[in-house]
Amino acid sequence: MTRLRTPLAAVALLSATLMVTGTQAASAAPEKPSLRQLAGRADLLVGTAVDMSALADDTAYRKTTAKDFSSVTAENVMKWEAVEPERGVYDWSKADDLIRFARDNGQAVRGHTLLWHSQLPQWLTSGVADGSIDSDELRGILKNHITTQVKHFKGKIYQWDVVNEVFNEDGTLRESIWLQKLGPSYIADAFRWAHAADPKAKLFVNDYNVEGINAKSTAYYELAKQLRAEGVPVQGFGIQGHLGIQYGFPGDVAANLKRFDDLGMETAFTEVDVRMILPADDTKLARQADDYRRLLDACLATAGCKSFTVWGHTDKYSWIPGVFSGEGAANLLDENYAPKPAYVAVREELASGR
Ligand code: G3I
């Protein structure tokens, strides 16, 4: 399913904006509208994950984060190991810094993430492994963690990734300490606890490799349908959107989003980046731009898709090279903050509206 596009209207909008700006500063190069300005006109939040060390140390990073994005997500500092490094000892300092930055810059905040199998604190994983934390206690710990964290940020987070990456590729539930010790009901419990702590936040499931219709995304669809029928407050489906140009673009993305829309759920792209085997060249960058454009196009075609977040916006701080050896260049801006074809594609796509 493809959205009806209005390229002429888009061009007119961009030119009008350029003309207005141009008359204000005849000699300076005209300022193009920012991504967040264009997204706002399309009733969309455009977001970025934020690396808090970069935000603290790099002025250029602060500028691009503020200028182009209307939503921010903590790349790491709201994860369990960061907020409760010792049992019962909370450290909200870096997460609160992000909330302050967002407030100062008129940005919304996505919460990531309450329950994951990764980046858990050592005291928790070792306690489960050596048997000193049994299943009953683990359930209490999880309830306490979700309640404490969601209450801490109550009213400041518009969407929470409540459970992150709980399915395998074949649609079976992932073996994690949560499934092993608590059984599958931990998922419904997590949503109920989060909702009780902040009834206004929209609560999401979130995963990768669920862009198109496949066994994994269908498992989320069935889970959401079942939980919603039981009155469990699951309101959103988060599609991470970690793509690589070497794998081809996933099929049926818009149809996938639409089926969640039809369930009455919100959808969001939550962690978009498109990596490639290095070195980058013009052909690869064009292909990357096209992948960004197509994901965004699917979001704009879906009424309930209200946010599109990239997982970092500059190649300078991407997680990719550290995990996928020989790959990278996955973001909208290069390492020197120069816009890549993908940035231009996102800008044009936003300008074309819904
Ligand atoms: O905090 C320690 C620091 O104390 C230490 O000095 C440093 C040395 O390596 O490591 C720091 O921890 C790193 C952490 O990021 C914070 O920077 C970890 O090594 C590193 O593995 C961790 O990586 C993060 C990864 O999640 C962990 O799984 C990435 O930055 C982050 O982009 C990535 O994000 C995930 C999403 O949460 C879920 N979806 C997939 C996505 C990409 O993997």
Side-chain angles (χ1 to χ4, degrees):
M1 195 186 77
T2 313
R3 183 168 61 96
L4 278 179
R5 291 157 163 273
T6 52
L8 287 178
V11 170
L13 173 63
L14 277 174
S15 329
T17 316
L18 293 180
M19 280 168 60
V20 170
T21 324
T23 52
Q24 284 163 348
S27 55
E31 271 272 310
K32 293 204 169 75
S34 65
L35 299 186
R36 65 186 286 181
Q37 283 173 320
L38 294 171
R41 294 172 201 164
D43 188 25
L44 182 78
L45 290 171
V46 60
T48 180
V50 177
D51 174 331
M52 290 310 290
S53 305
L55 199 73
D57 299 340
D58 184 340
T59 310
Y61 185 84
R62 290 178 78 83
K63 276 193 186 148
T64 49
T65 302
K67 170 181 157 269
D68 264 325
F69 301 98
S70 45
S71 172
V72 288
T73 306
E75 185 173 0
N76 285 299
V77 300
M78 287 190 193
K79 292 171 180 173
W80 200 332
E81 71 171 6
V83 296
E84 196 184 1
E86 288 173 53
R87 188 166 180 181
V89 179
Y90 291 91
D91 178 1
W92 306 113
S93 54
K94 292 197 174 120
D96 286 347
D97 285 348
L98 182 61
I99 299 277
R100 233 182 330 273
F101 180 87
R103 188 199 57 203
D104 292 348
N105 291 288
Q107 294 165 316
V109 184
R110 276 200 100 248
H112 176 82
T113 174
L114 297 173
L115 194 167
W116 195 20
H117 60 275
S118 182
Q119 285 180 290
L120 292 168
Q122 172 78 27
W123 60 263
L124 178 59
T125 47
S126 56
V128 172
D130 68 19
S132 60
I133 296 176
D134 68 13
S135 294
D136 282 349
E137 192 177 2
L138 185 64
R139 191 166 184 277
I141 288 172
L142 181 61
K143 179 178 184 184
N144 184 50
H145 167 71
I146 290 177
T147 305
T148 306
Q149 180 149 1
V150 176
K151 276 193 175 161
H152 178 82
F153 296 110
K154 187 175 180 188
K156 296 171 182 161
I157 300 255
Y158 72 109
Q159 295 177 344
W160 265 115
D161 291 333
V162 176
V163 301
N164 193 42
E165 302 173 3
V166 295
F167 281 111
N168 297 310
E169 302 302 300
D170 67 359
T172 56
L173 280 172
R174 181 192 286 272
E175 281 296 317
S176 64
I177 59 167
W178 310 115
L179 185 65
Q180 282 161 8
K181 303 290 175 193
L182 307 181
S185 63
Y186 79 86
I187 295 176
D189 286 341
F191 279 94
R192 290 196 178 100
W193 295 328
H195 183 68
D198 185 353
K200 289 194 179 150
K202 294 277 193 252
L203 305 182
F204 276 62
V205 290
N206 189 53
D207 214 323
Y208 58 87
N209 286 352
V210 292
E211 292 73 29
I213 293 182
N214 56 35
K216 196 174 184 182
S217 63
T218 298
Y220 277 102
Y221 176 76
E222 295 299 339
L223 175 74
K225 196 157 74 170
Q226 183 199 328
L227 291 178
R228 287 168 67 83
E230 292 166 5
V232 178
V234 182
Q235 293 126 357
F237 178 51
I239 300 175
Q240 294 183 4
H242 294 293
L243 302 185
I245 59 167
Q246 63 273 34
Y247 303 119
F249 190 78
D252 308 321
V253 179
N256 188 31
L257 288 169
K258 185 175 181 307
R259 62 179 172 162
F260 286 90
D261 225 45
D262 291 345
L263 281 184
M265 293 176 69
E266 287 195 14
T267 44
F269 285 94
T270 57
E271 306 185 11
V272 177
D273 52 20
V274 182
R275 62 186 186 269
M276 62 188 67
I277 295 165
L278 297 171
D281 61 29
D282 288 350
T283 307
K284 293 178 190 173
L285 291 172
R287 174 67 206 282
Q288 175 187 54
D290 204 42
D291 283 6
Y292 269 97
R293 184 197 299 275
R294 291 168 78 180
L295 288 183
L296 180 54
D297 182 49
C299 182
L300 291 169
T302 310
C305 189
K306 299 289 192 194
S307 69
F308 184 91
T309 290
V310 293
W311 205 240
H313 57 278
T314 161
D315 293 338
K316 192 171 178 184
Y317 299 110
S318 173
W319 65 286
I320 302 274
V323 173
F324 297 100
S325 179
E327 297 182 42
N331 302 101
L332 298 176
L333 307 176
D334 73 12
E335 294 183 354
N336 300 310
Y337 295 97
K340 291 156 64 179
Y343 180 92
V344 176
V346 165
R347 189 174 61 209
E348 287 174 354
E349 191 62 32
L350 290 172
S352 76
R354 279 194 190 264

